[in-house]
């Protein structure tokens, strides 16, 4: 009889995925089911590409699937608004990136930089200006000269109104003394499509966006907004070396629903960190043009706060919030 009871208990434990306690309670072995990661931008954009690349190697370090779900449109506001209603049970996370906080300073949003809980930063990449392969602009100076001749008529695509690439190119306008006609898209992917199709004169995005298209000869890079040329892309000149003293880029990481247990946040942090250190993943990241930049939970939280202040100041100094409302 005792042996039969033990067998039944073991069988029940195998079904529940945890340890049985009195009155039917059990302790969950986290994670015990798939995890959803919401990306509030289109498939094929930089943030989407980053997480779908992680998906290829994550199973080695996290024993449950991570499902990437795209909720594009509205400058990421609808996606984050939906995310605010999710339970903080450790099975729902959001992509947390530069556009996540820039939008909050450009227009009213139901969330701010402190609504979600930063988990880990994965990427930091300077923006770059790309043009169609047969564009008449061979250099950054060519494009700026044209923008000065025809203020507000050179069409500059971005990855979303009020987002990171939009705000960064607005700040660049100020530094370069020009005015573009800004054309928003529902993410970096659609912006790339627009540039390849010559529907805009140029776009401002950030790696890995545009890497396959440049390698395939469909797009060209006029300038990178970094202090020095990127080691991964040594042939692409900086704006600084072309006479415009300007640097700015985008970071991409993960945030949790407020109230998620620290122990569960640590599990996700550790899995993604292990993936970043995995040689198989590093090869994939390099091939995709993903520029890795690790920041742990505490450091990432402070980084988000610092970046929030930075972009708040950019909006105020350049009066962007008053000039551009969406």
């Amino acid at each position: 009889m005792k042996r039969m009871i033990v067998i039944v208990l073991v069988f029940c434990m195998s079904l529940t995925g945890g340890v049985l306690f009195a009155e039917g309670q059990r302790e969950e072995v986290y994670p015990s089911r798939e995890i959803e990661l919401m990306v509030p931008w289109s498939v094929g954009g930089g943030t989407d590409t980053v997480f779908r690349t992680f998906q290829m190697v994550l199973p080695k370090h996290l024993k449950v699937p991570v499902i990437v779900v795209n909720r594009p449109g509205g400058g990421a506001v609808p996606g984050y608004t939906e995310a605010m209603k999710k339970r903080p049970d450790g099975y729902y996370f959001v992509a947390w990136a530069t556009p996540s906080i820039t939008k909050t300073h450009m227009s009213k949003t139901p969330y701010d930089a402190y609504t979600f809980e930063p988990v880990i930063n994965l990427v930091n990449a300077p923006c770059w200006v790309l043009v169609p392969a047969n564009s008449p602009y061979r250099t950054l100076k060519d494009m700026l000269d044209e923008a000065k001749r025809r203020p507000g008529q050179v069409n500059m695509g971005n990855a979303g109104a009020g987002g990171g690439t939009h705000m960064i190119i607005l700040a660049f306008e100020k530094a370069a003394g020009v005015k573009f006609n800004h054309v928003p898209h529902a993410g970096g992917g659609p912006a790339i499509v627009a540039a390849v199709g010559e529907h805009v004169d140029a776009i401002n995005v950030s790696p890995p966006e545009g890497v396959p298209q440049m390698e395939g000869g469909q797009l060209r890079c006029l300038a990178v907004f970094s202090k020095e040329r990127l080691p991964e892309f040594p042939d692409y000149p900086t704006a600084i070396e072309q006479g415009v003293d300007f640097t700015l880029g985008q970071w991409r990481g993960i945030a949790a629903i407020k109230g998620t247990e620290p122990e569960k946040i640590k599990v996700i942090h550790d899995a993604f960190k292990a993936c970043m250190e995995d040689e198989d993943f590093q090869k994939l990241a390099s091939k995709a043009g993903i520029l890795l930049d690790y920041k742990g939970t505490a450091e990432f939280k402070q980084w988000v706060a610092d970046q929030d202040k930075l972009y708040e100041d950019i909006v105020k100094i350049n009066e962007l919030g008053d000039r551009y409302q969406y």
Side-chain angles (χ1 to χ4, degrees), residues 192-259:
I192 294 293
V193 172
V196 171
E198 301 182 28
H199 303 301
V200 290
D201 297 310
I203 57 173
N204 179 51
V205 290
S206 63
E209 292 161 342
V211 172
Q213 291 77 15
M214 284 190 285
E215 291 178 344
Q218 297 168 296
L219 296 177
R220 289 187 289 106
C221 179
L222 294 187
V224 183
F225 294 158
S226 55
K227 291 183 179 180
E228 298 177 349
R229 294 196 182 198
L230 300 176
E232 297 85 354
F233 306 101
D235 295 332
Y236 304 154
T238 67
I240 291 177
E241 66 186 86
Q242 299 179 81
V244 184
D245 188 7
F246 184 82
T247 62
L248 208 53
Q250 295 199 105
W251 43 267
R252 297 176 173 101
I254 301 171
I257 306 302
K258 207 73 161 181

Side-chain angles (χ1 to χ4, degrees), residues 25-281:
Q25 296 179 353
R26 66 184 179 86
E27 181 182 23
E28 178 193 21
V29 177
Y30 175 82
S32 60
R33 55 184 172 85
E34 67 182 28
I35 292 171
E36 185 173 332
L37 176 65
M38 190 278 294
V39 175
W41 298 287
S42 298
V43 173
T47 304
D48 179 74
T49 299
V50 166
F51 287 111
R52 293 190 186 277
T53 304
F54 269 97
Q55 272 187 316
M56 299 179 188
V57 181
L58 260 177
K60 292 170 60 176
H61 308 286
L62 189 66
K63 304 308 179 185
V64 299
V66 173
I67 309 301
V68 176
V69 179
N70 298 83
R71 295 283 187 268
V77 175
Y80 286 129
T81 301
E82 177 184 321
M84 292 171 65
K85 303 172 186 177
K86 299 294 183 177
R87 293 174 55 194
D89 58 7
Y91 289 96
Y92 191 92
F93 291 80
V94 300
W96 201 230
T98 304
S100 311
I101 63 174
T102 58
K103 180 67 175 176
T104 67
H105 298 297
M106 295 289 286
S107 58
K108 282 189 175 182
T109 60
Y111 60 91
D112 60 23
Y114 304 95
T115 299
F116 299 96
E117 194 67 40
V119 175
I120 183 174
N121 187 66
L122 307 168
V123 170
N124 198 352
C127 283
W128 49 23
V129 175
L130 311 182
V131 296
N134 63 350
S135 169
Y137 309 138
R138 309 306 298 181
T139 66
L140 180 64
K141 184 178 183 300
D142 290 342
M143 186 183 72
L144 296 181
D145 286 346
E146 182 71 7
K148 289 174 182 176
R149 282 194 296 268
R150 300 188 299 123
Q153 296 184 54
V154 173
N155 296 318
M156 177 66 70
N158 61 61
T165 57
H166 182 208
M167 185 172 292
I168 288 169
I169 204 67
L170 289 173
F172 176 73
E173 272 186 341
K174 191 84 169 180
V178 298
K179 179 69 177 73
F180 299 116
N181 176 43
H182 300 277
V183 183
H185 297 86
I192 294 293
V193 172
V196 171
E198 301 182 28
H199 303 301
V200 290
D201 297 310
I203 57 173
N204 179 51
V205 290
S206 63
E209 292 161 342
V211 172
Q213 291 77 15
M214 284 190 285
E215 291 178 344
Q218 297 168 296
L219 296 177
R220 289 187 289 106
C221 179
L222 294 187
V224 183
F225 294 158
S226 55
K227 291 183 179 180
E228 298 177 349
R229 294 196 182 198
L230 300 176
E232 297 85 354
F233 306 101
D235 295 332
Y236 304 154
T238 67
I240 291 177
E241 66 186 86
Q242 299 179 81
V244 184
D245 188 7
F246 184 82
T247 62
L248 208 53
Q250 295 199 105
W251 43 267
R252 297 176 173 101
I254 301 171
I257 306 302
K258 207 73 161 181
T260 302
E261 296 175 15
E263 295 78 11
K264 293 181 178 180
I265 287 178
K266 186 177 186 304
V267 169
I268 300 304
H269 165 277
D270 291 352
F272 273 87
K273 184 174 186 292
C275 199
M276 293 177 77
E277 296 169 349
D278 189 298
E279 289 185 5
D280 291 336
F281 174 77

